[in-house]
C-alpha cells in the first residue's frame, strides 16, 4: 500500500510534463469546471468578492450550473464525491450527523464542524444542515485549507460556498421528477417571477422518499434506511433605489425516517477458536438487521434570513441576520445485551420487569438467527456467565435484553454580520467587519429498559412506566461568539499579488446539567454517574483564537499561475454531556486498568496549514490542470469516541494532542473535441499521530477518517443527434483508498471482557478478552455512476445508474475499543432510475 501511494504521489508530481506551457485561465482543483462562465471566465467568490477562478491563490473546486444539472447532484454527500481529497460520512446514525474530511481534518461527531457552509453569502451555524437540500443550486465552490480568516467560524478544513437561483426580471421555472428502485421517488420544482419593476420572488420545493436498501428481517419491514423528506424555500429580492438591495430568504424542511443503521463486528481473537466470527474483518461482514425496536429519526428545520447590500461611491456595505431552529430526535434499539445490564433480576420492580421481559423474549426467539457470533441460548445470560445455556446477542438484537435509546438535539441560534468592502478596480482591495452568534442547544441521550412495549419518546420515564429510564445525559449548552475580521489584497505588480487576512474569535460557552435527581432502578446509583458526588454544577469556559492567513499569486506566463498560502484554522472547544468523564473512569480505568483520558471539557482545535501549487492551461484552454502540495499540523484535533458497556452507551469528544498531515493533488481536463471531455484527479494524503495523551498507544498511527488517497476519473459527451436536442452521456468513477476510523488501528487493547472473564463462570485469564483492531480498516472501494439521456433547450430525459457495478463497501466503522468490537454501517447499493425535467 505504501508503494502504491508513492507511485500515485510521483505521478502527480510528474504530470505537468504532459502539459508544459501552463495557462492562467484554468480549471482549479478538479476537472468538474468544464463549462466556463460568460467570456470563458469562471467567476467565484472564494475571497468573498467576485473574481475569476484564475485569480484565486488557493485550491478551489467549482461545480457550475451545467455540471450540477448533468450530474444530478443536490446534497453534500453527492457533490463531495466529485472532489479529490474530500470524503464524507453522513446519515449513519441520524440525518443531521455529517462529518466531512478535507485533507486529513475531520469534523468530529458531536463537536462543531470543520467545514463552513455558506449559502448566498450567509454562514450557516448548525452542522445538521451540511447535508440538507439548500434550494435551487446554481454554483458550488469547495475551498480547501483554513478559511476562517475570510469565512469565519468552523472553517478550519475548508468551506462550501453555495449560490442558489436569484429571482430576476423575467419569469422562469422548472420541474424535475425522478423514479428509481426501492420505491425511490423525488421531485424538485421552482418558479421565479418579477413582482414589481425592481423586485422578484422565488418559490421552490423538493420531495424525496425511499424504502432504502436494507430490510429488518425480524420486523419484516423497511426500517433501516427509509426516509421521507420535503422542503419549501422562498426568496424575495428587491432593489431599494439604485444602490441598495435587500435579499430575504426563508425555508422549512421536514424529515422522517430511520436511524442507527449499524451492525456489530467483534475483534476478540482469543474467542475466535470457539467461533471465527469473534475476530471478523469488517470488510467481509454480511449485513443483517434484526432489531425488535423500530428505529425512528425526525428532523425539522426552520430558518429565515435578511441581507442588505448598499453601494457607496467606493465601498460596499453588507449586513445580514439569520435565525435558525433545527430539532432532531431518534429512537432505536440498545447496545448492552452482552454485559447483562437488563438480564438479572434486581431489588426494584423495574429491574425485575425488565429481566422477566428479557427471559420471555429470549424463550420465544430460541433458534431465531442473529448476526454471528451471536446465538440465543436457553437463557439470556451472556455466555461468559453461563457457558452451558447462555447467549450472545450483540447490540440491536431481536430480544428486549439490550434495552432502548432515545436521543434529542435541539438547537436554536441567531447570528449577524456586518462588512465594509472596497469596490474599486485599483491595486488595493480590502474588507473589514464584525460577527455575532448566539446558540441555545439541548442535547439528551436516554437509555431505557425494554419491557416489550416500545419506546416512550421522552428523556425521563419513571421506574413504574412501560419504558423506565436507566441512564440519562441531558444538558443545556449556551454559546456566544464575537469576532472581528479584516483583509487586504494588494496587486504589487500586474503579475504579483499578496493577500493578508485575519480574524479574532471569542467563544463564551456555558453548560447546565438538566438531569433530574433520580435513581437508576437497576444499579441503585444516580441516573447520571456524574451525580454520584452530588449535583453537577454549571460550568463555563472561554475559547479564543486569532486566525491569520497569507496568500501569494505570481503569473509565470499568460497561461500559468503559481500560488501559495498559509493560515491558522480554529475550532472551539466545548463540553461533553456532563458526567462522561466519571463513567469512563469508573467503567474502564478503574475496572480493567486502562488509561483512557476523557474530560467533560474538550480543548479547542488549532491547525497550521501551508499549500503551494501551479495551475494553468494550454491549447487555447482545451487542456487544463492544477497541481498542489500541502502540509498541515493540527494541535488538539477533536475526535469522536464511542463507549459501550454495562452502563449503556456513551458518546464523547476527545482530543488528539498532535497530528501531522501532508500530501499532493493533481487534476486535469482535456477537451478531445468540442462536446467531449475527459477528466481525472488524484489526491494522496499521508498522516501521523505525533502525540495523544488520551490513548498513548496510538502514537504513529494515521489521522482517523482520512482516506489514503482518492482518484476521480470521468468523461462527458454532449453530441447533437437531432436539430432540437442532444445526446448527453456522463460517467464518473471514484476510488476511495483505505481508511481508518479510529486512532486505535493495528493495536490491541483490554476490554470489558478482560475484566469480566477472571470472575466469570469461564474463569479465564484477563488477556483472553483483549481486542485486536487490525481488521477494522475500511478497504479501498470504487463507485461508478452513469447517466445517459437526451436534452433540449427546455427539457431532458435521463436514465441513470448509481453504483452501477454494485460495489459493496462500508460507509463508516466506529470501533468501541473497550467493548471489543466495532459498529459498522453499510454503503449504498446499486440503484437504477429515470429522470425527466422541464424548464421555461
Amino acid at each position: 500500500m505504501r508503494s502504491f501511494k508513492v507511485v500515485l504521489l510521483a505521478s502527480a508530481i510528474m504530470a505537468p510534463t504532459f502539459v508544459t506551457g501552463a495557462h492562467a485561465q484554468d480549471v482549479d482543483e478538479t476537472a468538474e469546471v468544464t463549462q466556463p462562465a460568460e467570456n470563458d471566465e469562471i467567476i467565484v467568490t472564494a475571497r468573498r468578492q467576485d473574481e475569476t477562478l484564475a485569480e484565486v491563490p488557493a485550491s478551489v473546486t467549482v461545480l457550475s450550473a451545467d455540471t450540477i444539472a448533468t450530474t444530478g447532484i443536490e446534497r453534500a454527500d453527492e457533490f463531495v464525491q466529485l472532489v479529490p481529497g474530500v470524503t464524507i460520512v453522513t446519515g449513519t446514525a441520524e440525518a443531521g450527523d455529517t462529518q466531512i474530511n478535507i485533507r486529513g481534518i475531520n469534523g468530529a461527531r458531536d463537536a462543531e464542524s470543520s467545514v463552513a457552509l455558506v449559502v448566498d453569502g450567509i454562514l450557516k451555524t448548525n452542522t445538521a444542515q451540511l447535508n440538507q437540500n439548500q434550494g435551487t443550486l446554481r454554483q458550488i465552490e469547495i475551498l480547501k485549507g483554513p478559511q476562517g480568516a475570510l469565512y469565519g467560524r468552523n472553517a478550519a478544513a475548508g468551506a462550501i460556498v453555495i449560490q442558489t437561483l436569484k429571482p430576476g426580471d423575467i419569469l422562469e421555472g422548472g420541474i424535475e421528477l425522478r423514479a428509481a428502485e426501492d420505491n425511490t421517488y423525488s421531485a424538485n420544482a421552482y418558479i421565479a417571477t418579477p413582482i414589481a419593476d425592481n423586485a422578484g420572488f422565488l418559490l421552490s420545493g423538493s420531495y424525496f422518499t425511499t424504502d432504502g436498501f436494507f430490510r429488518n428481517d425480524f420486523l419484516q419491514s423497511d426500517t433501516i434506511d427509509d426516509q421521507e423528506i420535503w422542503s419549501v424555500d422562498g426568496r424575495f429580492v428587491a432593489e431599494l433605489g439604485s444602490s441598495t438591495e435587500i435579499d430575504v430568504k426563508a425555508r422549512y424542511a421536514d424529515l422522517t425516517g430511520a436511524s442507527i443503521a449499524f451492525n456489530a463486528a467483534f475483534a476478540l481473537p482469543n474467542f475466535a477458536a470457539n467461533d471465527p466470527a469473534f475476530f471478523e474483518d469488517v470488510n467481509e461482514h454480511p449485513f443483517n438487521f434484526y432489531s425488535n425496536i423500530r428505529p425512528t429519526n425526525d428532523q425539522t428545520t426552520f430558518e429565515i434570513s435578511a441581507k442588505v447590500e448598499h453601494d457607496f461611491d467606493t465601498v460596499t456595505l453588507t449586513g445580514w441576520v439569520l435565525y435558525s431552529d433545527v430539532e432532531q430526535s431518534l429512537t432505536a434499539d440498545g447496545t448492552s445485551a452482552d454485559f447483562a445490564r437488563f438480564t438479572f433480576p434486581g431489588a426494584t420492580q423495574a429491574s425485575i420487569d425488565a429481566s422477566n421481559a428479557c427471559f420471555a423474549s429470549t424463550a420465544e426467539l430460541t433458534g431465531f438467527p442473529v448476526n454471528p457470533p451471536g446465538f440465543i441460548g436457553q437463557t439470556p445470560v451472556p455466555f461468559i456467565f453461563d457457558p452451558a445455556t447462555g447467549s450472545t446477542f450483540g447490540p440491536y438484537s431481536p430480544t428486549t435484553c439490550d434495552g432502548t435509546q432515545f436521543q434529542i438535539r435541539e438547537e436554536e441560534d441567531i447570528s449577524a454580520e456586518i462588512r465594509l468592502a472596497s469596490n474599486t478596480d485599483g491595486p488595493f482591495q480590502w474588507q473589514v467587519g464584525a460577527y455575532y452568534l448566539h446558540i441555545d442547544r439541548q442535547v439528551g441521550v436516554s437509555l431505557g429498559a425494554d419491557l416489550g412495549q416500545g419506546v416512550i419518546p421522552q428523556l425521563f420515564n419513571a421506574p413504574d412506566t412501560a419504558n423506565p429510564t436507566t441512564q440519562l445525559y441531558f444538558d443545556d449548552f449556551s454559546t456566544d461568539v464575537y469576532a472581528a475580521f479584516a483583509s487586504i489584497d494588494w496587486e504589487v505588480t500586474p503579475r504579483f499579488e499578496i493577500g493578508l487576512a485575519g480574524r479574532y474569535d471569542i467563544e463564551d460557552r456555558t453548560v447546565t446539567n438538566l438531569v433530574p435527581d433520580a435513581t437508576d432502578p437497576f444499579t441503585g446509583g444516580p441516573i447520571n454517574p456524574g451525580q454520584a458526588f452530588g449535583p453537577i454544577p454549571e460550568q463555563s469556559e472561554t475559547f479564543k483564537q486569532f486566525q491569520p492567513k497569507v496568500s501569494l499569486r505570481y503569473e509565470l506566463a499568460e497561461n500559468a499561475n503559481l500560488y501559495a498560502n498559509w493560515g491558522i484554522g480554529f475550532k472551539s472547544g466545548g463540553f461533553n454531556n456532563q458526567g462522561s468523564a466519571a463513567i469512563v473512569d469508573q467503567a474502564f480505568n478503574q475496572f480493567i486498568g486502562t488509561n483512557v483520558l476523557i474530560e467533560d471539557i474538550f480543548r479547542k482545535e488549532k491547525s497550521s496549514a501551508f499549500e503551494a501549487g501551479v495551475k494553468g492551461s494550454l491549447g487555447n484552454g482545451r487542456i487544463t490542470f492544477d497541481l498542489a502540495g500541502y502540509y498541515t499540523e493540527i494541535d488538539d484535533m477533536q475526535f469522536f469516541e464511542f463507549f459501550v458497556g454495562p452502563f449503556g452507551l456513551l458518546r464523547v469528544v476527545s482530543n488528539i494532542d498532535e497530528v501531522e498531515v501532508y500530501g499532493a493533488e493533481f487534476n486535469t481536463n482535456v477537451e478531445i473535441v468540442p462536446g467531449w471531455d475527459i477528466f481525472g484527479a488524484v489526491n494522496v494524503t499521508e498522516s501521523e499521530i505525533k502525540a495523544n495523551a488520551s490513548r498513548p498507544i496510538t502514537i504513529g498511527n494515521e489521522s482517523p477518517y482520512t482516506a489514503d488517497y482518492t482518484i476521480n476519473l470521468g468523461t462527458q459527451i454532449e453530441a447533437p443527434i437531432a436539430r432540437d436536442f442532444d445526446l448527453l452521456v456522463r460517467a464518473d468513477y471514484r476510488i476511495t483508498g483505505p481508511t481508518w476510523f479510529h486512532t486505535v488501528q493495528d493495536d490491541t487493547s483490554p476490554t470489558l471482557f478482560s475484566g469480566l472473564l477472571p470472575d466469570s463462570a469461564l474463569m479465564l485469564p484477563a488477556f483472553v478478552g483483549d481486542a485486536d483492531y487490525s481488521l477494522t480498516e475500511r478497504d479501498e472501494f470504487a463507485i461508478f455512476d452513469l447517466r445517459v439521456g437526451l436534452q433540449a433547450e427546455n427539457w431532458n430525459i435521463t436514465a441513470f445508474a448509481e453504483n452501477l457495478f454494485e460495489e459493496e463497501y462500508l460507509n463508516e466503522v466506529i470501533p468501541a475499543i473497550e467493548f471489543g468490537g466495532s459498529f459498522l454501517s453499510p454503503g449504498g447499493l446499486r440503484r437504477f432510475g429515470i429522470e425527466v425535467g422541464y424548464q421555461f
Side-chain angles (χ1 to χ4, degrees):
M1 185 57 61
R2 292 282 178 180
S3 298
F4 181 57
K5 292 170 72 175
V6 170
V7 171
L8 286 177
L9 184 60
S11 299
I13 294 172
M14 295 173 61
T17 61
F18 302 114
V19 288
T20 54
H23 186 263
Q25 179 56 48
D26 65 298
V27 175
D28 189 311
E29 193 61 16
T30 180
E32 293 311 312
V33 191
T34 57
Q35 298 84 13
E38 188 177 352
N39 299 324
D40 291 331
E41 291 186 337
I42 301 164
I43 305 301
V44 298
T45 59
R47 289 190 288 179
R48 301 192 72 171
Q49 57 188 1
D50 290 343
E51 57 187 332
T52 64
L53 184 59
E55 295 174 323
V56 181
S59 295
V60 183
T61 297
V62 181
L63 306 178
S64 68
D66 285 345
T67 301
I68 292 168
T70 56
T71 57
I73 56 177
E74 294 180 344
R75 300 181 305 274
D77 63 330
E78 297 168 335
F79 61 71
V80 301
Q81 300 303 319
L82 302 174
V83 184
V86 183
T87 58
I88 187 171
V89 172
T90 185
T92 55
E94 57 182 319
D97 180 19
T98 300
Q99 299 94 54
I100 298 178
N101 186 297
I102 299 181
R103 294 178 172 177
I105 300 181
N106 193 66
R109 179 182 278 112
D110 293 339
E112 301 292 344
S113 173
S114 294
V115 180
L117 175 63
V118 181
V119 181
D120 295 323
I122 295 179
L123 174 66
K124 300 295 183 76
T125 52
N126 194 322
T127 59
Q129 297 172 285
L130 275 171
N131 200 40
Q132 290 187 2
N133 188 316
Q134 297 297 328
T136 307
L137 303 178
R138 282 297 174 263
Q139 183 161 294
I140 302 169
E141 303 169 30
I142 301 169
L143 290 66
K144 299 178 183 179
Q147 305 298 327
L150 291 172
Y151 280 103
R153 192 170 181 268
N154 296 342
I160 298 172
V161 181
I162 293 176
Q163 297 178 33
T164 67
L165 180 64
K166 188 176 182 179
D169 56 3
I170 62 171
L171 175 66
E172 62 177 309
I175 185 169
E176 180 183 83
L177 304 174
R178 296 182 190 176
E181 296 176 284
D182 309 309
N183 288 323
T184 302
Y185 304 98
S186 68
N188 296 281
Y190 72 92
I191 185 168
T193 179
I195 57 176
D197 289 342
N198 297 307
F201 178 74
L202 179 144
L203 181 67
S204 65
S206 67
Y207 177 79
F208 172 81
T209 183
T210 182
D211 286 346
F213 295 107
F214 301 97
R215 307 290 176 259
N216 186 316
D217 293 330
F218 178 70
L219 295 180
Q220 296 294 305
S221 61
D222 308 320
T223 62
I224 304 303
D225 54 346
D226 61 306
Q227 279 191 342
E228 183 178 35
I229 311 169
W230 62 271
S231 64
V232 177
D233 290 78
R235 187 176 188 183
F236 170 76
V237 179
E239 294 181 5
L240 307 180
S242 61
S243 303
T244 305
E245 181 183 85
I246 183 170
D247 187 348
V248 179
K249 297 178 64 180
R251 71 186 311 263
Y252 183 86
D254 181 83
L255 177 146
T256 58
S259 64
I260 314 292
F262 288 99
N263 276 187
F266 286 93
L268 301 168
N270 295 314
F271 286 16
N274 180 62
D275 187 339
F278 272 110
F279 189 46
E280 181 182 16
D281 185 335
V282 296
N283 298 281
E284 299 176 1
H285 176 81
F287 280 93
N288 298 287
F289 297 89
Y290 302 114
S291 169
N292 70 310
I293 298 293
R294 197 288 194 228
T296 67
N297 185 196
D298 295 286
Q299 181 191 72
T300 60
T301 301
F302 172 72
E303 65 178 21
I304 186 168
S305 65
K307 183 172 69 170
V308 177
E309 188 173 281
H310 179 79
D311 286 335
F312 296 96
D313 290 338
T314 58
V315 297
T316 298
L317 178 67
T318 303
W320 57 258
V321 61
L322 167 69
Y323 170 80
S324 173
D325 185 10
V326 181
E327 297 183 359
Q328 302 179 91
S329 66
L330 69 84
T331 62
D333 212 341
T335 60
S336 301
D338 282 333
F339 298 112
R341 180 172 179 81
F342 302 102
T343 300
F344 299 114
T348 67
Q349 189 60 45
S351 179
I352 295 171
D353 291 343
S355 183
N356 290 339
C358 189
F359 273 82
S361 64
T362 304
E364 293 172 0
L365 293 169
T366 299
F368 187 88
V370 295
N371 284 313
F375 61 91
I376 299 176
Q378 297 178 16
T379 72
V381 178
F383 77 96
I384 58 174
F385 299 117
D386 188 352
T389 63
S391 303
T392 294
F393 298 127
Y396 321 123
S397 78
T399 74
T400 66
C401 305
D402 45 14
T404 67
Q405 55 179 301
F406 173 66
Q407 301 185 29
I408 68 163
R409 184 183 178 94
E410 300 176 352
E411 180 173 324
E412 185 178 25
D413 54 67
I414 186 167
S415 56
E417 181 181 281
I418 187 167
R419 178 166 56 99
L420 194 65
S422 61
N423 60 15
T424 63
D425 295 328
F428 283 96
Q429 301 293 325
W430 57 268
Q431 57 184 316
V432 62
Y435 173 82
Y436 172 75
L437 165 68
H438 176 75
I439 301 175
D440 281 320
R441 178 187 299 153
Q442 289 192 349
V443 179
V445 180
S446 174
L447 306 183
D450 185 355
L451 305 185
Q453 301 176 58
V455 182
I456 299 175
Q458 58 188 34
L459 289 174
F460 178 72
N461 302 308
D464 58 352
T465 62
N467 181 214
T469 301
T470 68
Q471 180 183 306
L472 177 60
Y473 298 91
F474 185 26
D475 295 281
D476 181 88
F477 302 91
S478 179
T479 302
D480 286 290
V481 180
Y482 313 88
F485 57 88
S487 67
I488 298 175
D489 294 292
W490 178 27
E491 189 179 274
V492 181
T493 73
R495 301 177 64 177
F496 180 51
E497 180 181 320
I498 298 175
L500 301 174
R503 179 185 178 98
Y504 188 74
D505 280 89
I506 301 174
E507 296 213 7
D508 291 331
R509 295 192 163 208
T510 301
V511 60
T512 303
N513 183 261
L514 302 178
V515 176
D517 184 14
T519 300
D520 180 345
F522 292 82
T523 67
I527 203 166
N528 182 313
Q531 296 175 324
F533 304 101
I536 297 176
E538 180 179 281
Q539 295 194 66
S540 297
E541 192 77 19
T542 297
F543 302 93
K544 304 176 181 179
Q545 184 62 50
F546 176 61
Q547 300 175 76
K549 185 162 189 176
V550 180
S551 57
L552 306 171
R553 179 178 69 89
Y554 180 74
E555 185 179 319
L556 287 172
E558 181 183 0
N559 301 327
N561 280 314
L562 283 175
Y563 64 90
N565 60 75
W566 168 84
I568 294 292
F570 161 66
K571 188 164 65 171
S572 173
F575 301 96
N576 288 310
N577 282 117
Q578 299 300 282
S580 298
I583 198 168
V584 170
D585 186 60
Q586 293 173 14
F588 303 123
N589 296 337
Q590 296 184 28
F591 180 53
I592 59 177
T594 54
N595 188 28
V596 182
L597 178 62
I598 298 296
E599 304 286 354
D600 283 346
I601 302 177
F602 55 89
R603 302 185 298 276
K604 71 177 183 181
E605 177 181 302
K606 177 184 175 183
S607 56
S608 174
F610 173 79
E611 175 191 40
V614 57
K615 51 188 179 180
S617 67
L618 59 83
N620 293 322
R622 292 179 59 189
I623 300 175
T624 61
F625 72 90
D626 181 12
L627 173 65
Y630 53 90
Y631 176 83
T632 307
E633 291 183 348
I634 307 108
D635 293 329
D636 294 323
M637 174 184 279
Q638 294 171 8
F639 173 64
F640 168 77
E641 291 258 25
F642 189 51
F643 297 94
V644 176
F647 55 84
L649 62 86
L650 179 63
R651 299 165 49 142
V652 301
V653 178
S654 66
N655 291 99
I656 307 172
D657 297 75
E658 184 179 347
V659 179
E660 181 183 70
V661 178
Y662 59 93
E665 291 178 1
F666 173 75
N667 75 86
T668 186
N669 181 90
V670 180
E671 182 187 50
I672 305 299
V673 295
W676 180 19
D677 289 271
I678 60 173
F679 39 84
V682 60
N683 169 279
V684 182
T685 297
E686 291 280 358
S687 62
E688 183 178 356
I689 297 173
K690 294 292 188 177
N692 188 8
S694 178
R695 293 184 182 273
I697 63 169
T698 65
I699 294 174
N701 290 346
E702 297 179 21
S703 177
Y705 284 78
T706 301
D708 287 352
Y709 52 85
T710 63
I711 302 172
N712 289 77
L713 301 170
T715 187
Q716 180 171 308
I717 299 173
E718 187 173 353
I721 59 175
R723 185 173 64 179
D724 297 326
F725 59 88
D726 300 334
L727 170 69
L728 180 67
V729 179
R730 171 83 187 203
D732 287 283
Y733 186 60
R734 163 79 169 213
I735 302 172
T736 302
T739 307
W740 293 102
F741 289 91
H742 199 282
T743 59
V744 177
Q745 295 166 14
D746 287 324
D747 304 302
T748 60
S749 175
T751 70
L752 288 169
F753 294 102
S754 307
L756 294 170
L757 282 172
D759 297 325
S760 71
L762 296 175
M763 293 187 294
L764 295 173
F767 74 85
V768 175
D770 291 355
D772 179 346
Y773 286 96
S774 59
L775 299 182
T776 61
E777 182 182 32
R778 181 177 69 185
D779 286 346
E780 171 194 288
F781 67 95
I783 303 297
F784 183 77
D785 294 331
L786 179 65
R787 294 170 63 87
V788 180
L790 303 175
Q791 69 173 14
E793 184 177 356
N794 61 350
W795 61 266
N796 69 280
I797 179 169
T798 305
F800 62 86
E802 299 170 350
N803 192 4
L804 177 62
F805 301 127
E806 199 159 18
E807 177 91 340
E808 295 185 0
Y809 64 98
L810 295 168
N811 198 350
E812 186 177 23
V813 179
I814 305 178
I817 303 303
E818 287 70 32
F819 160 69
S822 302
F823 294 82
L824 319 178
S825 181
L829 304 178
R830 181 172 59 198
R831 180 174 284 161
F832 293 105
I834 191 167
E835 171 187 303
V836 295
Y838 177 75
Q839 304 84 36
F840 62 88

